[in-house]
Amino acid sequence: MDRSSRKRIALIGTGHRGTSMWGINVVKGYSDYVDIVALCDTNRLRAERARGFLGIDAPIYTDAQEMIATVKPDQVIVCTRDSNHDDMIVRALEAGVDVITEKPMTTTAEKVRRILEAEKRTGRRVDVTFNYRYAPTVRKIKELLNSGVIGDVTSIDFHWFLDNKHGADYFRRWHAVEENSGSLFVHKSTHHFDLMNWYLDDDPEEVFAFASLRKYGKVNPFRGERCKTCEHASYCDYFVDISKDPWLEALYEDPSREDGYVRDACVFREEINIPDTMSAMIRYRKSVQVTYSVNTYMPIEGHFIAFDGTKGRIQMRQYERQPWETPEYDEIQLVRNFGGVETIQVPHEPGGHFGGDPKLQDMLFKPGTPDPLNQRAGSRAGAMSVLCGIAALQSSKTGQMVSVSKLLDPAQAIAA
């Protein structure tokens, strides 16, 4: 394809996610369809390192508004901290530019409403990168639910396990401060809430939740500033040596000289103010009841989900990282009320999230990609998953049931 006919894309945020999935993977897999024409990061050295990894000669900017005005891209990809997604998205929309944003779309109800209003006002489009929708096992479950094989879904049991590597990593980074991430009820659970919304083709109505900090932060008896300089390194289970990871060293350690942000901050530092142990009850508009939990310091990684219906049950345990060998496929159990058990094996596919990442990028970048399961997620899907997380966090703080629809439309709360 001629370069002039490719979609011109600018990448905002060149950390791990931006540089890998939305940088390197796009250059390697989609250069026939898109051209990355600019990189933007408040840390110029990080952006320079990212440009080297991508192997391109695109200009670098430290101000997104200047980049958009100068380069005039067709689309921007937003991979910044969650709390400023709204600024990046709205600036692009108002400049007439479509947006792909990493999840969560944003972090507060006010910012959700701001994005939705800007999208409607400008007539541009926001895509939210819910890659779990595209994983092969998830697709199969959606197909089974759509077929009606278990009748009407009445309840869901959904539990996510983050292990001591993945879970702890959120507490080393900016995510550990609620102002930045909205908490893991927003940053991480947005994936899970979106899956349930999509599986059910329905909106969450009310949420009641519990949350606490049980492992990380100030509850630990000792702490330091970061692993690299910590006096407790020899006996801390969570010690990491960033110098042994050339990727993180390049993107974060040297660039930390510019902004002070380090990638190995202590998981026990006092400033951590998000919960690490979370559970919620969710009621949907069509009366489906959900029991949900996520824990961040498990010896296992993956999730369990079960759907109870009027004609049977679908259940699945997906293994991501375990201290035992697991197969290169997932097993879905379909249990009919009066018809026995059927076990369905779904092989893993190449690419991140068991093959979900490349399928998502196919949808976004390859014209004419079919979407029979409505996997492509827009701003409304982004909004409903975020609002479910915001409601959960609010409920855990107040002890009250929280209405999701009233978060979306404050006028309902005033009228009530």
Side-chain angles (χ1 to χ4, degrees):
M1 184 180 292
D2 184 81
R3 180 166 184 166
S4 63
S5 64
R6 291 182 290 176
K7 183 176 288 187
R8 302 172 69 254
I9 288 181
L11 176 63
I12 306 177
T14 57
H16 167 69
R17 188 71 169 167
T19 302
S20 58
M21 180 169 178
W22 299 110
I24 294 171
N25 290 2
V26 170
V27 170
K28 287 183 176 179
Y30 299 90
S31 290
D32 286 345
Y33 307 97
V34 300
D35 189 13
I36 297 180
V37 296
L39 303 176
C40 182
D41 199 299
T42 54
N43 189 309
R44 185 175 184 85
L45 179 54
R46 180 176 301 120
E48 290 173 354
R49 294 288 174 82
R51 181 169 62 181
F53 282 124
L54 270 61
I56 60 176
D57 59 1
I60 290 172
Y61 295 83
T62 57
D63 181 272
Q65 192 160 347
E66 177 190 1
M67 179 195 69
I68 293 169
T70 305
V71 178
K72 296 181 173 58
D74 301 313
Q75 193 170 45
V76 300
I77 303 176
V78 176
C79 300
T80 61
R81 288 187 181 186
D82 302 344
S83 56
N84 65 14
H85 281 187
D86 65 310
D87 280 340
M88 301 300 107
I89 292 168
V90 172
R91 286 179 187 180
L93 295 174
E94 291 180 340
V97 177
D98 291 331
V99 177
I100 296 171
T101 182
E102 261 295 340
K103 58 83 200 165
M105 187 174 76
T106 188
T107 55
T108 71
E110 292 79 11
K111 292 177 179 182
V112 165
R113 294 192 294 270
R114 182 188 180 204
I115 292 170
L116 294 178
E117 185 280 328
E119 185 183 39
K120 181 178 180 180
R121 171 167 46 84
T122 62
R124 308 311 302 182
R125 180 186 176 102
V126 177
D127 280 288
V128 185
T129 60
F130 288 124
N131 45 7
Y132 274 115
R133 289 189 180 197
Y134 297 82
T137 302
V138 168
R139 296 198 306 267
K140 183 60 179 178
I141 289 174
K142 177 66 170 174
E143 290 168 354
L144 289 170
L145 293 172
N146 286 357
S147 76
V149 68
I150 63 167
D152 295 329
V153 176
T154 56
S155 64
I156 300 176
D157 194 24
F158 192 10
H159 305 287
W160 207 279
F161 318 109
L162 294 169
D163 67 15
N164 281 293
K165 179 180 179 181
H166 188 189
D169 211 37
Y170 290 112
F171 294 84
R172 294 189 179 96
R173 297 181 277 166
W174 52 262
H175 308 71
V177 177
E178 184 185 323
E179 180 183 355
N180 295 332
S181 66
S183 84
L184 294 183
F185 257 145
V186 172
H187 176 83
K188 185 62 181 175
S189 297
T190 187
H191 265 316
H192 315 151
F193 296 144
D194 174 69
L195 279 181
M196 289 188 286
N197 299 347
W198 176 68
Y199 278 141
L200 296 171
D201 192 21
D202 197 10
D203 291 337
E205 180 58 33
E206 291 183 309
V207 181
F208 184 80
F210 294 100
S212 58
L213 186 63
R214 302 296 301 275
K215 180 69 175 179
Y216 304 111
K218 61 185 178 182
V219 299
N220 198 64
F222 63 82
R223 59 195 40 79
E225 292 185 3
R226 58 177 303 195
C227 289
K228 187 173 183 177
T229 59
C230 186
E231 63 184 51
H232 310 289
S234 63
Y235 52 87
C236 179
D237 291 332
Y238 291 92
F239 171 75
V240 295
D241 185 352
I242 197 171
S243 68
K244 293 182 178 179
D245 189 327
W247 170 262
L248 295 182
E249 184 87 3
L251 286 179
Y252 294 100
E253 186 60 24
D254 288 344
S256 70
R257 298 195 303 266
E258 292 198 3
D259 56 16
Y261 176 67
V262 297
R263 190 57 176 70
D264 64 342
C266 180
V267 298
F268 303 124
R269 63 196 189 280
E270 295 277 354
E271 70 171 341
I272 291 173
N273 64 353
I274 64 168
D276 56 22
T277 308
M278 295 151 280
S279 61
M281 295 287 293
I282 306 164
R283 184 179 65 81
Y284 278 77
R285 288 185 179 177
K286 297 174 186 176
S287 299
V288 175
Q289 301 171 29
V290 173
T291 303
Y292 168 80
S293 72
V294 57
N295 289 282
T296 61
Y297 44 87
M298 299 291 98
I300 58 175
E301 174 95 4
H303 73 277
F304 169 83
I305 191 164
F307 302 83
D308 293 313
T310 54
K311 296 181 180 179
R313 175 180 171 93
I314 294 169
Q315 63 184 28
M316 187 271 296
R317 166 76 166 93
Q318 186 168 67
Y319 302 99
E320 295 195 30
R321 240 186 339 261
Q322 323 296 317
W324 63 84
E325 287 192 20
T326 56
E328 291 299 315
Y329 57 83
D330 297 323
E331 285 191 346
I332 301 170
Q333 289 182 313
L334 169 60
V335 189
R336 294 176 174 85
N337 279 358
F338 305 102
V341 180
E342 178 183 349
T343 299
I344 302 167
Q345 289 187 356
V346 183
H348 299 162
E349 297 178 9
H353 297 92
F354 304 104
D357 288 1
K359 291 291 193 301
L360 164 65
Q361 291 178 322
D362 285 352
M363 184 71 72
L364 293 174
F365 298 136
K366 290 185 176 180
T369 299
D371 189 13
L373 295 178
N374 194 29
Q375 289 167 292
R376 187 171 181 176
S379 61
R380 194 177 188 284
M384 297 313 295
S385 66
V386 165
L387 291 171
C388 195
I390 293 168
L393 184 65
Q394 183 176 321
S395 174
S396 72
K397 292 179 176 181
T398 64
Q400 302 296 313
M401 186 84 75
V402 176
S403 165
V404 175
S405 59
K406 289 178 182 178
L407 290 175
L408 182 62
D409 182 6
Q412 292 189 38
I414 294 172

